[in-house]
Amino acid sequence: MPNDIYVWQRAWTSALGQAMDQAAPDVAAWRVLASEVSAEGRVAPALLNDARLEALRAHLAGRPVILVVRIDGRLSDTDSAPLVAAALAPLERWREAGVAVAGLEIDHDCPTARLPFYARFLTDLRARLGGGGPSRGDLGGTRLSITALPTWLPAPSLADVVAVPDEVVLQVHAVAAPTDGLFNPAQAARWVAAYGQRFGSPFRVALPDYGARVSWNADDSLATVEGETPLLGGGAHAAELMARPADVAAFLKTLRAEAPPNLKGIAWFRLPTAEDRRAWSLVTWAAVARGKTPIGHIVVRAEATATPGLSSLVLVNDGAADAEVPAGLDLPAACPLGDGANGYARDPLAPQPRLVRLSPGLLPPGERRAVGWLRCPDSPSPLVIHVRP
C-alpha cells in the first residue's frame, strides 16, 4: 500500500527540507498543513510567506500535494460560509505561488452530535470545488478528502459525511483518552474492519510515528498535549507517550494481509525531522513503511574518563531501529558514587546503586546518549551494569 505522510510543521526550516528529501523515495503524496481555524473562527496560515512556499516547492520531488485545513473541533459556528472561505483560501494562495495542488483535506474532529453540520459544510465546500454543483473554474475538479474519527462509527449521520468527499482518512491513533496511550493495535484493527464493512468508498488509515508529552492538572483534567512544538504549560503531573515501531510494524503486517478492498493506503503522522524529538527517526519510519520490522538494541557502556576511577555511562543503540531507552540501570555495588543525566536520576530508595528513567523515549539507531556517571574506588574490570527493560 502506498505511503502518504503529513507535513505538519507550522514554519519552514532547513531540517524540514532535508527530511522531505530523505523521505521522498517512500512517499506517494505529501499532506501538508496549510492553515488552522481556531475554536473562535480565527484563521492562522502555516508557511506564512511566499519565500517559504518557494523553499517547500523545491523539496516536493514531483509528488502530489494535498493541502490540509485543520478546523478546531470545538468550533460551534452554524454558518458554513466562513468555513468554506477559510478552506478555499490556502488552495488559492498556494496555486498562485506555483504549487500544483492535487487535493484539499479537512481535519475537523467535531463531536458526534455535530456531524450533520459537518456534512452540510462539506457539501457546500464540495460545490465550490466541483463535483457537487456549480464550481469555480480555477478550483473545479479538486479532490476532497477528510479525516474521520472511529468514535463516529456508530452514528447514522456519519453516512452523510462520508458520502461527500472522494476519500476518507481514518485516524486510529490518539483517539482514546491519553491515559490509554497513543496507539492500540488490537483496537485499531477493529476500527479498520468496522469502517471497511460499513462503507465501500476509498479510505486510508492514519498511523503514528511519534510520541507526545501529556500533562494533567491537579484535579486530573487534561492540561496540555505536547508534540513536536514545546508548550509552556506544565500541569501538576505529566507522562511521555510513544507509538512503538514494533507495534506499528506488526499492525501494518496484519493490515496488509487482511486489508478491506477499499483500503487504498497509509497516511503517516507525521514527517520526522532532526528537530522533532518526539518522532521516530527517518530510518526507522522508512523501514516500517516498507513493511519491515526493524529491531533496536540498546547496550550500556561505562567509558573511562581522564579522572581515575570515574566513568561515564553511555547508552548506545547498535540495532537497526529506534529503541526505547531502558527503565533503569543497576550499577555495580563496588561503585557507590554516581548520578544520572539526560533523563535519568539516582534512585534514593534502592538498596543498591541504581539509575531510573524519568520519562520514556527513543534512541535512534547508531546514536548514543550519556546518561550519567559513576565513581569506583576499587574499580572492578569489567564493570557489569544490568539493564532494566
Side-chain angles (χ1 to χ4, degrees), residues 30 46 132 189 199 267 338:
W30 307 104
F199 301 107

Side-chain angles (χ1 to χ4, degrees), residues 259-284:
N262 52 332
L263 178 61
K264 301 305 179 184
I266 305 301
W268 292 91
F269 186 87
R270 56 192 180 260
L271 175 68
T273 74
E275 298 172 329
D276 190 344
R277 297 304 179 187
R278 288 194 173 94
W280 302 350
S281 66
L282 269 172
V283 171
T284 297

Side-chain angles (χ1 to χ4, degrees), residues 334-354:
C335 305
L337 298 178
D339 205 350
N342 292 329
Y344 283 81
R346 182 72 176 259
D347 184 355
L349 302 179
Q352 298 293 330
R354 178 184 300 164

Side-chain angles (χ1 to χ4, degrees), residues 191-289:
W191 284 333
V192 171
Y195 188 93
Q197 290 171 4
R198 182 175 177 187
F199 301 107
S201 54
F203 79 106
R204 299 176 191 269
V205 173
L207 291 181
D209 60 16
Y210 69 99
R213 179 183 184 273
V214 181
S215 64
W216 292 267
N217 298 312
D219 61 357
D220 288 335
S221 61
L222 186 64
T224 62
V225 178
E226 181 178 321
E228 75 280 16
T229 303
L231 301 176
L232 298 178
H237 52 100
E240 290 279 348
L241 308 178
M242 179 61 67
R244 292 182 174 86
D247 291 345
V248 180
F251 170 81
L252 193 53
K253 182 178 180 180
T254 302
L255 183 65
R256 287 190 167 110
E258 303 174 357
N262 52 332
L263 178 61
K264 301 305 179 184
I266 305 301
W268 292 91
F269 186 87
R270 56 192 180 260
L271 175 68
T273 74
E275 298 172 329
D276 190 344
R277 297 304 179 187
R278 288 194 173 94
W280 302 350
S281 66
L282 269 172
V283 171
T284 297
W285 169 79
V288 175

